[in-house]
Amino acid sequence: NTIVASIINLLRMIITGNYPNLRLRRSRKHEWSRRLVQENNLSSNDLVLPIFLTDGKNKKIPIKAMPGVYRYSINSLGLILDKAIERKIPMVALFPYTKISLKNNFGTEALNENNLVCQAIKYIKKKYKNIIGIMCDVALDPYTIHGHDGILKKNKILNDETIKILTEQSLLQARMGCDVIAPSDMMDGRIKIIRKKLDEENLEEVQILSYAVKFASSFYGPFRNAIGSKSALKGNKKTYQMDFKNHNEALREVALDIKEGADMVMVKPGMPYLDIIRSVKDNFKIPVLAYQVSGEYSLIRNGINKKIIDKKAIIESLMAFKRAGANAIITYFADSIDKNLFD
Ligand code: PBG
């Protein structure tokens, strides 16, 4: 009897599990039905907007390599922040364009409490209080003449010496009111030391978003142009940023940063690394942010501007991050997505 029953069951499975009994297009027929079965969702809550800073007054300077993206002087920040807040974007990320005259071998401008980033944090917190979060990169590349994220000595990026400056940079940004400290330098052990120092200075409420998995990538080109570190960069960043051939190593980086105290982790660049995002999400139950970097932005933006692809490609590219398991996406498109595009 049980044998007969299982044979009938098997037959039923074979029959119903196949065309013409099964037609997946049925659920795609109507718009309401597609909405009903949709597995992922994207809203402005998922977006972080990067903002480039420049000195001067009343400035909004276009960035050649990134059409549609600008550098703002401090007193012009309202132009972009009002837009971000109106669109309910939860957080902005600040990046400074530093004059050559302020750069040196050690990136000491990073520790100037009147540098562009500090001025911007103060301005935003005074004007907007806690309506919107502020995230700041911790790394020296905007401030060093050689364009590297750390201290360069005899062709080497010094790990522990760099961490000392990065810790000071973190403390300064946190004291100014930065909500989320985001070390993007890839030095070993910096999360542990930064967390410890923040706690000692009663800044235990400041979050750390670790750029845990940052690959040495060609997709950062336009960004380096935007912050003025491109022509400066000597060599490449392969001795600290990850080799894009590796996957397991990415998981080791994340495991270490979580142990050291990271509240959130980032995978960067974005679209070429969706496999890594999924894997990090599956292996660690921690918020994962994806960075759709400048090169990805410029490629899509140029395609749209030249009418080679439709602007709906923006949402398609961002939804991919959600599908891969990202909680949020740092993207230069954040302020330019029309509400109706979300549907
Ligand atoms: C610097 C930093 C980089 C980016 C963010 N922080 C560039 C780099 O590592 O050279 C890239 C962002 C982008 O390309 O959009 N530490």
Side-chain angles (χ1 to χ4, degrees):
N1 248 356
T2 49
I3 293 175
V4 174
S6 56
I7 289 174
I8 289 175
N9 236 342
L10 192 69
L11 281 175
R12 189 178 288 153
M13 262 176 60
I14 290 169
I15 290 166
T16 55
N18 276 302
Y19 172 86
N21 297 297
L22 203 62
R23 293 171 182 267
L24 294 187
R25 286 185 59 195
R26 271 199 283 264
S27 62
R28 294 180 204 142
K29 183 174 177 191
H30 294 295
E31 201 260 345
W32 61 261
S33 178
R34 293 195 290 273
R35 275 194 283 135
L36 192 68
V37 300
Q38 86 178 28
E39 299 176 32
N40 289 289
N41 192 26
L42 182 78
S43 79
S44 53
N45 293 334
D46 302 315
L47 306 178
V48 177
L49 173 69
I51 298 177
F52 293 108
L53 309 167
T54 185
D55 61 0
K57 276 225 145 64
N58 307 322
K59 294 263 168 67
K60 182 185 173 186
I61 304 170
I63 296 164
K64 234 200 201 150
M66 302 178 74
V69 180
Y70 302 84
R71 296 187 195 112
Y72 295 86
S73 59
I74 305 299
N75 77 327
S76 302
L77 279 172
L79 295 175
I80 181 114
L81 273 149
D82 288 342
K83 223 165 133 191
I85 288 164
E86 201 250 327
R87 286 166 192 258
K88 293 213 145 165
I89 290 168
M91 181 164 77
V92 293
L94 303 178
F95 297 102
Y97 175 88
T98 310
K99 284 190 295 205
I100 297 241
S101 59
L102 294 175
K103 296 187 186 194
N104 61 27
N105 252 317
F106 304 98
T108 46
E109 176 66 7
L111 307 184
N112 172 4
E113 59 185 49
N114 236 336
N115 69 22
L116 278 174
V117 170
C118 292
Q119 284 183 50
I121 300 171
K122 280 190 282 189
Y123 178 89
I124 296 169
K125 280 300 166 193
K126 189 165 173 214
K127 191 163 172 195
Y128 299 95
K129 308 282 186 281
N130 286 316
I131 300 174
I132 193 158
I134 301 178
M135 147 186 168
C136 293
D137 245 41
V138 173
L140 300 179
D141 56 313
Y143 310 110
T144 51
I145 34 172
H146 44 71
H148 279 287
D149 294 23
I151 303 295
L152 181 70
K153 235 183 210 163
K154 291 186 185 152
N155 280 325
K156 269 192 191 157
I157 299 296
L158 304 181
N159 195 85
D160 300 3
E161 286 76 357
T162 297
I163 294 181
K164 281 182 197 143
I165 301 192
L166 297 183
T167 305
E168 292 304 311
Q169 186 184 20
S170 305
L171 286 174
L172 177 61
Q173 291 172 348
R175 279 190 207 112
M176 292 290 158
C178 174
D179 302 290
V180 177
I181 295 290
S184 68
D185 56 290
M186 291 295 282
M187 296 302 117
D188 286 324
R190 85 279 203 219
I191 301 298
K192 181 179 178 173
I193 296 176
I194 291 171
R195 180 75 273 163
K196 184 166 168 267
K197 285 279 153 67
L198 286 172
D199 291 356
E200 282 170 10
E201 300 279 324
N202 299 323
L203 294 162
E204 67 282 342
E205 290 182 348
V206 173
Q207 300 182 53
I208 297 181
L209 162 59
S210 168
Y211 285 69
V213 185
K214 182 170 179 181
F215 290 95
S217 170
S218 297
F219 287 94
Y220 305 147
F223 173 94
R224 291 179 189 165
N225 177 281
I227 66 159
S229 73
K230 189 168 188 158
S231 48
L233 183 64
K234 276 196 190 136
N236 57 54
K237 300 191 177 184
K238 288 184 185 179
T239 68
Y240 45 109
Q241 298 181 349
M242 267 190 60
D243 186 338
F244 56 72
K245 302 176 197 80
N246 299 352
H247 188 136
N248 290 335
E249 191 184 347
L251 300 182
R252 296 182 74 195
E253 284 285 3
V254 171
L256 285 170
D257 284 2
I258 292 175
K259 225 191 220 166
E260 291 180 21
D263 300 288
M264 305 177 272
V265 293
M266 191 178 334
V267 175
K268 178 185 175 192
M271 208 132 79
Y273 300 94
L274 296 176
D275 57 326
I276 308 284
I277 296 171
R278 168 50 62 198
S279 195
V280 171
K281 195 67 207 183
D282 286 345
N283 281 284
F284 307 95
K285 306 305 168 194
I286 187 166
V288 179
L289 276 78
Y291 201 139
Q292 183 179 52
V293 301
S294 56
E296 302 174 62
Y297 168 85
S298 295
L299 283 172
I300 297 171
R301 175 61 81 198
N302 286 333
I304 294 168
N305 288 354
K306 288 184 185 150
K307 301 205 178 341
I308 296 166
I309 54 171
D310 190 87
K311 67 176 176 200
K312 291 198 183 87
I314 298 172
I315 296 295
E316 191 175 332
S317 71
L318 297 174
M319 193 66 79
F321 294 114
K322 292 297 298 286
R323 210 178 51 241
N327 295 74
I329 306 126
I330 303 176
T331 173
Y332 303 96
F333 286 118
D335 65 321
S336 65
I337 300 173
D338 306 333
K339 283 204 179 78
N340 58 10
L341 267 183
F342 280 122
D343 303 327

